[in-house]
């Protein structure tokens, strides 16, 4: 019974820490490109990828959900100091929903993919952290910005190189943390 409680407490602490990490990554100033007004280049998706790779699907999704709840309550934790309910109706709303679903896909997929762990982690981060996030983010942006989907998709292509770098960094960091864990 005591081990179950400790594991539960450990999971809660890790969930809270990753929610805080994602929030802290929002302090890095965003970069806005004139090509896609309203969508910043930020590093918060790196935190989402790390949460999925390190915590797994369920706990990663809980960390992102906690982060989004704190943002909804008004904490200015999104890139550029944004927060409050209004962000869920702005141009990045679909990406925020994509964070929640993408982190789960990353955490579920990473241990199931074949190949070396770092390659599997990278592939999971690309599929969940880019593919799933864009699957919700790009149509959401198109809808809110009143753009044709093709234009929103074309504008989002500028984010791909940076997102691929973030996926690689997340995979390498997850591998390093897994190696550093006691008992391995």
């Amino acid at each position: 019974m005591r081990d179950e409680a400790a594991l539960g407490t450990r999971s809660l602490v890790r969930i809270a820490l990753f929610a805080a990490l994602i929030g802290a990554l929002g302090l890095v100033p965003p970069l806005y490109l004139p090509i896609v007004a309203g969508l910043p280049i930020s590093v918060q998706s790196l935190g989402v990828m790390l949460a999925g790779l390190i915590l797994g699907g369920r706990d990663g999704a809980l960390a992102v959900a906690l982060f989004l709840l704190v943002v909804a309550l008004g904490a200015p934790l999104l890139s550029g100091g944004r927060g409050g309910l209004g962000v869920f109706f702005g141009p990045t709303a679909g990406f925020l929903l994509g964070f929640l679903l993408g982190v789960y896909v990353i955490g579920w997929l990473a241990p199931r993919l074949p190949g070396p762990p770092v390659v599997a982690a990278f592939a999971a981060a690309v599929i969940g952290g880019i593919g799933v996030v864009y699957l919700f983010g790009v149509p959401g942006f198109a809808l809110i910005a009143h753009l044709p989907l093709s234009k929103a998709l074309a504008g989002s292509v500028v984010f791909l190189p940076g997102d691929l770098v973030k996926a690689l960094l997340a995979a390498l960091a997850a591998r390093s943390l897994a190696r550093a864990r006691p008992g391995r």
Side-chain angles (χ1 to χ4, degrees), residues 56-69:
R58 184 199 68 186
D59 288 357
L62 289 172
V64 171
L66 176 59
F67 166 73
L68 293 175
L69 173 66

Side-chain angles (χ1 to χ4, degrees), residues 104-127:
Y104 183 83
V105 169
I106 294 166
W108 182 87
L109 198 55
R112 290 170 173 80
L113 289 174
V118 73
V119 174
F122 175 72
V126 168
I127 293 166

Side-chain angles (χ1 to χ4, degrees), residues 4 22-23 25 27 33 37 43 52 61 64 79-80 89 101 114 117 132 149 152 173:
E4 290 175 27
I22 297 167
L25 289 172
L27 298 175
L33 300 175
V43 293
V64 171
S79 186
F89 300 96
L101 299 168
V132 172
L149 185 58

Side-chain angles (χ1 to χ4, degrees), residues 72-120:
L73 293 174
L77 297 176
L78 289 175
S79 186
R82 298 172 300 123
L85 286 175
V87 299
F88 295 96
F89 300 96
T92 60
F95 290 96
L96 298 176
L97 174 61
F99 279 1
L100 188 59
L101 299 168
V103 72
Y104 183 83
V105 169
I106 294 166
W108 182 87
L109 198 55
R112 290 170 173 80
L113 289 174
V118 73
V119 174

